[in-house]
Amino acid sequence: PFFYYLRRVISIILPIYNEEKGLVQFTQNLNDSIRDIPHDFEIIFVNDGSQDHPLSVILELCRENSTYKYINLSRNFGHQIAVTAGIEHAKGDYIILMDSDGQDPPEVIRRLLAKAEEGYDVAYAQRIKRKDESWLKKITASAFYKMLNKITSVEIPVDTGDFRILNRKVADALIRMPEKQRYLRGQIAWLGYKQAAVSYEREGRNAGETGYTYKKMISLALDAITSFSNSPLRLATISGFVCAFIGLLLIIYTLYAKFILKIYEPGWPSLMITIVFLGGIQLLGIGMIGEYISRINDNVKNRPLYLISDTNIEHA
Ligand code: UDP
Ligand code: MG
């Protein structure tokens, strides 16, 4: 034939944590918007130890459709690890990461795919609006990303979540990154290759509520910082130097006051201030070092990143 169209396999990875209520509707919408894309789709549901019972919903969906796969993790490992489990089991030439709560609109898939077919290795969706999110979340998120970009050497695009398409090359590269602290946005930015942005408006959730508690967000933020920047460590070192230098000046001045000027008064306020100040700085430094050591410890333990309790994927 003169014209021949290469049919590709596209894997869509859906991490699921307590999404029982909205999942059927979401899958329906997803299906509607990919139906006439002339490729083969593989949808991978990764149940990340949900407290409600989306597994029965997922199993039902998988019974109805043979191209649906599921991975049931043995407990809640967190969003980033759930997505990683999906990537490691995806067969697709292209891999799409998206949330399963309806906030990442399926209509955008077509545009992401177009970019990928144009030859970009990664196309990430960049939101121009966020609906349904508290002002506190918006403000903290935007301040965090600004700060992160300042202190890291890789440029992590702002206003992006994990909604994106990767080609096989990028997925394989990601799988080769062995670190236990997964921060996929950062890791993908670190990889380089040809990347493009597609802008969209982020929707509100279909049902249920966010699985990202502030505790989980803070831990993701700390993982992001320590994985991509050593500047907190350097800050500890620099402040240590500065304090030691000020301390030295104080010692010289004290000796000078006592032996030359002879106006020395034993003053406990200055003493207390010095002790408290230095003590604070020391604790800060030790705390920061602790952050890194705990992560080194995690990596040295070399535990598996996740455990699967059951799946319908062969050789998993
Ligand atoms: N999620 C997950 N494990 C978790 C928390 C969330 O797999 O521990 C999933 C969740 O089901 C959703 C996606 O990750 O598909 C994004 O989570 P969420 O919508 O709760 O975060 P938000 O959009 O509020 O930042
Ligand atoms: Mg969400």
Side-chain angles (χ1 to χ4, degrees):
F2 293 108
F3 173 77
Y4 115 105
Y5 185 82
L6 203 51
R7 230 180 144 81
R8 302 269 192 190
V9 177
I10 300 171
S11 307
I12 301 182
I13 294 167
L14 303 173
I16 291 156
Y17 179 67
N18 296 352
E19 308 283 5
E20 185 183 5
K21 272 184 227 137
L23 197 58
V24 171
Q25 183 61 51
F26 172 76
T27 312
Q28 183 74 49
N29 295 347
L30 177 61
N31 249 328
D32 288 345
S33 53
I34 61 177
R35 182 160 302 137
D36 50 320
I37 298 178
H39 288 293
D40 297 320
F41 282 89
E42 166 194 63
I43 294 182
I44 304 181
F45 299 94
V46 186
N47 178 32
D48 184 21
S50 302
Q51 251 114 58
D52 59 358
H53 298 286
L55 188 62
S56 53
V57 179
I58 296 170
L59 288 178
E60 187 59 40
L61 287 166
C62 288
R63 249 196 303 279
E64 287 163 13
N65 197 323
S66 64
T67 62
Y68 289 2
K69 302 275 164 25
Y70 73 91
I71 296 173
N72 187 31
L73 296 183
S74 62
R75 63 171 171 84
N76 178 239
F77 283 91
H79 174 213
Q80 300 287 307
I81 290 181
V83 174
T84 305
I87 297 174
E88 292 189 347
H89 291 89
K91 295 207 179 65
D93 303 300
Y94 296 114
I95 292 170
I96 292 171
L97 316 181
M98 70 189 297
D99 290 357
S100 57
D101 60 359
Q103 285 194 284
D104 297 338
E107 305 82 67
V108 180
I109 289 179
R110 201 177 293 272
R111 290 160 57 210
L112 291 174
L113 190 59
K115 282 280 180 217
E117 286 180 318
E118 238 172 73
Y120 287 98
D121 298 295
V122 177
Y124 49 85
Q126 195 157 34
R127 53 194 163 229
I128 46 182
K129 247 189 215 158
R130 287 170 169 231
K131 283 187 199 155
D132 240 28
E133 286 179 340
S134 72
W135 58 270
L136 189 61
K137 179 156 185 171
K138 284 183 203 167
I139 290 177
T140 49
S142 117
F144 169 71
Y145 289 116
K146 280 207 188 93
M147 186 269 296
L148 189 62
N149 261 339
K150 277 234 161 61
I151 65 172
T152 55
S153 48
V154 289
E155 188 78 20
I156 301 171
V158 294
D159 286 331
T160 61
D162 289 310
F163 190 20
R164 58 191 62 214
I165 191 167
L166 320 172
N167 63 12
R168 193 27 62 193
K169 184 166 70 180
V170 172
D172 285 342
L174 258 185
I175 292 169
R176 281 178 48 204
M177 293 176 91
E179 61 240 57
K180 309 291 178 208
Q181 290 76 37
R182 309 301 288 189
Y183 183 62
L184 293 168
R185 281 156 247 187
Q187 288 174 264
I188 292 169
W190 182 89
L191 286 173
Y193 294 124
K194 269 178 75 185
Q195 310 209 2
V198 165
S199 56
Y200 76 110
E201 286 188 22
R202 188 158 167 89
E203 296 294 328
R205 272 185 152 269
N206 279 340
E209 47 197 78
T210 176
Y212 263 100
T213 54
Y214 269 93
K215 197 171 146 207
K216 278 186 185 167
M217 271 197 276
I218 288 170
S219 118
L220 183 68
L222 279 177
D223 280 346
I225 293 169
T226 52
S227 300
F228 291 96
S229 170
N230 285 327
S231 34
L233 273 180
R234 186 156 308 153
L235 195 67
T237 319
I238 291 172
S239 52
F241 270 118
V242 170
C243 290
F245 185 69
I246 294 172
L248 188 71
L249 292 183
L250 278 174
I251 291 170
I252 292 170
Y253 176 74
T254 313
L255 291 176
Y256 178 74
K258 179 159 180 155
F259 291 111
I260 313 283
L261 301 179
K262 304 208 187 291
I263 52 161
Y264 178 76
E265 288 288 342
W268 67 269
S270 56
L271 203 63
M272 286 306 283
I273 288 166
T274 316
I275 289 169
V276 170
F277 181 60
L278 282 185
I281 295 290
Q282 278 166 354
L283 284 179
L284 190 75
I286 291 169
M288 282 178 191
I289 292 167
E291 291 288 338
Y292 286 87
I293 290 180
S294 74
R295 283 161 176 83
I296 294 172
N297 193 30
D298 276 352
N299 284 292
V300 167
K301 274 188 287 194
N302 211 18
R303 289 184 183 155
L305 204 53
Y306 55 85
L307 293 164
I308 295 175
S309 76
D310 52 296
T311 169
N312 62 351
I313 298 175
E314 286 164 49
H315 318 296

